[in-house]
């Protein structure tokens, strides 16, 4: 019997089939990665009638159906991500969201984007704990617990928990540039707002005794992509944070994307995922310490001084967003969206193979498109890299991408071998 976790893709007829080559949920080790759910009625395969309220209800019903089909409940959800076509719908969608969570609320990210598949008004994604693990024929006890934490040193909200730890990861709610004392946006521009977002993240991590350099992935949502250099300046002041991290110039994996609007009309919002080497009970104390972060870059894919191509911790590898850049020239490849999608996926493959993995180890893919109408053309290329259609997936349309690209892709990859001392 294998002692390693395996990728476990599952689908249920009680939720809509994907509109592309992907699975509804892909479990690996202690997490289930769900594909973003559109407001599609699983019986008819079409969008439900009504506005944002009805569409949000259908998205959450679909998530609940998937969660229950794999023997879990909604309180096992660790993180919810909501994409809106119109930020003005946030209040009505938040009320729907709250109706699915009662005594506990997960971490939360909300942003408005330029477009969603099927011209939907709402799309919702969930990350779910998986206490039983995915070792074939050897389920674990399934009794690992979530640890939900809040601190008044960072903004609090009745809609979300600041940090939810499960097993070896801490998932943080996306942080807005809110001063926790006043509850208002900080004064200044994108640089000041980015610094406040990062300061809020640091306060949350310090509250749970996690160093800032234990962050393995950040996602930066910008209202104006032209603000990226100001945001980068703020990031350089926070990463790396410790002497050890500075010695190796550590930076987490990263994705940057332009959104059409953010809550409170903020210019910046930052989401973080952090390692959690001490695990969550009842993991034995002697098994909970010393797991290391393994950061890796390869010359076979484009490199960036502000991020690491892939950061592994425990049983996952987090891949930075890949643009359609030729790794030799550093230029955007010639051609249209098919050629650009092929280059993004080739870069992703090069990174995955550089750490001794294969594309079938990918459990989740996030696709950002300048033109949502390109989704079918992208799927034609995508299927060649994922012929079994296994990874869970999220696709959104954005107003702009770095380097004027038409497409950007990031991914989460299984890491069965773990990171030391989980040899």
């Amino acid at each position: 019997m294998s002692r390693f976790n395996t990728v476990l893709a599952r689908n249920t007829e009680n939720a809509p089939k994907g509109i592309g080559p992907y699975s509804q949920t892909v479990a690996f080790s202690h997490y289930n990665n769900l594909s973003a759910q559109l407001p599609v009625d699983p019986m008819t395969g079409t969008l439900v009638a009504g506005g944002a309220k009805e569409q949000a209800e259908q998205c959450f019903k679909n998530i609940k159906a998937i969660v229950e089909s794999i023997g879990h409940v909604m309180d096992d959800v660790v993180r919810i991500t909501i994409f809106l076509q119109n930020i003005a719908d946030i209040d009505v969608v938040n009320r729907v969201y709250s109706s699915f969570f009662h005594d506990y609320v997960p971490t939360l990210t909300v942003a408005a984007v330029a477009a969603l598949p099927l011209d939907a008004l709402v799309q919702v994604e969930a990350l779910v704990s998986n206490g039983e693990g995915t070792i074939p024929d050897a389920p674990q006890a399934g009794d690992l617990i979530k640890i939900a934490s809040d601190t008044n040193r960072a903004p609090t909200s009745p809609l979300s928990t600041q940090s939810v730890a499960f097993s070896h990861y801490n998932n943080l709610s996306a942080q807005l540039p809110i001063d926790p004392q006043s509850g208002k946006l900080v004064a200044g521009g994108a640089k000041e707002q980015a610094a406040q977002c990062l300061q809020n993240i640091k306060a949350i991590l310090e509250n749970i005794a996690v160093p800032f350099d234990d962050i393995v992935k950040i996602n930066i949502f910008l209202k104006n992509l032209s603000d990226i250099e100001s945001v980068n300046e703020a990031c350089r002041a926070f990463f790396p944070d410790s002497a050890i991290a500075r010695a190796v110039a550590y930076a987490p994996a990263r994705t940057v994307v332009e959104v059409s609007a953010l809550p409170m009309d903020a210019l910046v919002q930052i989401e973080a995922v952090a390692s959690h080497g001490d695990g969550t009970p009842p993991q034995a104390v002697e098994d909970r310490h010393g797991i290391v972060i393994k950061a890796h870059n390869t010359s076979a894919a484009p490199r960036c001084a502000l991020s690491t191509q892939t950061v592994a911790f425990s049983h996952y590898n987090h891949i930075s967003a890949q643009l359609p850049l030729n790794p030799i020239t550093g230029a955007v490849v010639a051609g249209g969206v098919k050629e650009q999608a092929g280059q993004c996926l080739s870069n992703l493959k090069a990174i995955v193979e550089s750490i001794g993995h294969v594309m079938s180890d990918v459990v989740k893919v996030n696709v950002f498109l300048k033109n949502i109408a390109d989704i079918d053309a992208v799927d034609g290329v995508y299927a060649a890299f994922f012929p079994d259609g296994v990874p869970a997936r999220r696709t959104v349309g954005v107003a702009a991408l770095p380097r004027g690209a038409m497409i950007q892709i990031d991914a989460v990859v299984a890491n069965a071998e773990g990171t030391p001392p989980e040899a």
Side-chain angles (χ1 to χ4, degrees), residues 150-155 162-163 172-176 178 180 194-215 218 234-243 246 270-274:
D150 283 308
T151 174
N152 59 13
R153 293 179 54 218
Q162 289 170 348
S163 172
L172 274 61
S173 285
Q175 292 301 299
L176 290 163
I178 297 172
Q196 185 64 52
C197 293
L198 291 165
Q199 184 56 50
N200 291 342
I201 288 170
K202 190 170 187 178
I204 293 168
L205 292 176
E206 288 176 345
N207 179 59
I208 55 176
V210 172
F212 196 75
D213 286 316
D214 281 359
I215 294 173
I218 60 167
C235 286
R236 290 186 189 98
F238 282 83
F239 297 107
D241 185 56
S242 67
R246 285 193 293 273
I270 302 179
E271 182 182 70
V273 178

Side-chain angles (χ1 to χ4, degrees), residues 71-345:
H72 284 263
V73 295
M74 289 296 279
D75 273 2
D76 290 334
V77 173
V78 171
R79 184 176 69 226
I80 287 288
T81 304
I82 300 173
F83 288 106
L84 303 171
Q85 196 173 127
N86 188 342
I87 198 68
D89 290 330
I90 188 169
D91 289 337
V92 67
V93 172
N94 280 341
R95 285 193 290 272
V96 173
Y97 154 77
S98 296
S99 71
F100 282 83
F101 299 97
H102 305 290
D103 299 326
Y104 154 82
V105 286
T107 61
L108 178 67
T109 298
V110 181
V113 292
L116 291 168
L118 302 180
D119 200 28
L121 302 176
V122 187
Q123 181 175 253
V124 182
E125 178 185 280
L127 178 68
V128 183
S129 61
N130 191 50
E132 64 271 26
T134 55
I135 299 174
D137 303 315
Q140 295 171 267
D143 55 358
L144 294 176
I145 64 170
K146 296 193 309 292
I147 298 179
S149 304
D150 283 308
T151 174
N152 59 13
R153 293 179 54 218
T156 59
S157 169
L159 293 168
S160 63
T161 302
Q162 289 170 348
S163 172
V164 177
F166 188 80
S167 187
H168 289 141
Y169 277 92
N170 289 289
N171 295 271
L172 274 61
S173 285
Q175 292 301 299
L176 290 163
I178 297 172
D179 180 326
Q181 299 301 313
S182 68
K184 297 179 180 178
L185 293 184
V186 295
K191 179 184 174 183
E192 292 76 16
Q193 290 201 8
Q196 185 64 52
C197 293
L198 291 165
Q199 184 56 50
N200 291 342
I201 288 170
K202 190 170 187 178
I204 293 168
L205 292 176
E206 288 176 345
N207 179 59
I208 55 176
V210 172
F212 196 75
D213 286 316
D214 281 359
I215 294 173
V216 297
K217 175 74 190 296
I218 60 167
N219 298 314
I220 300 173
F221 300 95
L222 284 175
K223 190 171 179 183
N224 298 298
L225 195 57
S226 59
D227 286 332
I228 186 61
E229 288 307 319
S230 295
V231 172
N232 285 343
E233 189 175 348
C235 286
R236 290 186 189 98
F238 282 83
F239 297 107
D241 185 56
S242 67
I244 294 174
R246 285 193 293 273
V248 296
Y250 173 72
R254 187 170 90 153
T255 295
V256 178
V257 63
E258 183 173 285
V259 294
S260 59
L262 290 166
M264 298 181 68
D265 200 28
L267 300 176
V268 188
Q269 180 175 250
I270 302 179
E271 182 182 70
V273 178
S275 60
H276 188 59
D278 50 346
T280 55
Q283 295 175 67
V285 173
E286 60 268 22
D287 296 332
R288 286 167 24 193
H289 292 278
I291 301 172
V292 301
I293 290 173
K294 292 183 70 174
H296 179 77
N297 288 297
T298 173
S299 59
R303 300 182 66 164
C304 173
L306 291 165
S307 64
T308 302
Q309 289 169 349
T310 177
V311 178
F313 184 79
S314 187
H315 287 141
Y316 279 98
N317 290 288
H318 300 264
I319 312 290
S320 287
Q322 294 302 300
L323 289 164
L325 303 179
N326 181 310
I328 305 299
T329 66
V332 174
V333 296
V337 72
K338 288 184 179 181
E339 291 76 15
Q340 290 201 11
Q343 187 64 54
C344 291
L345 290 164

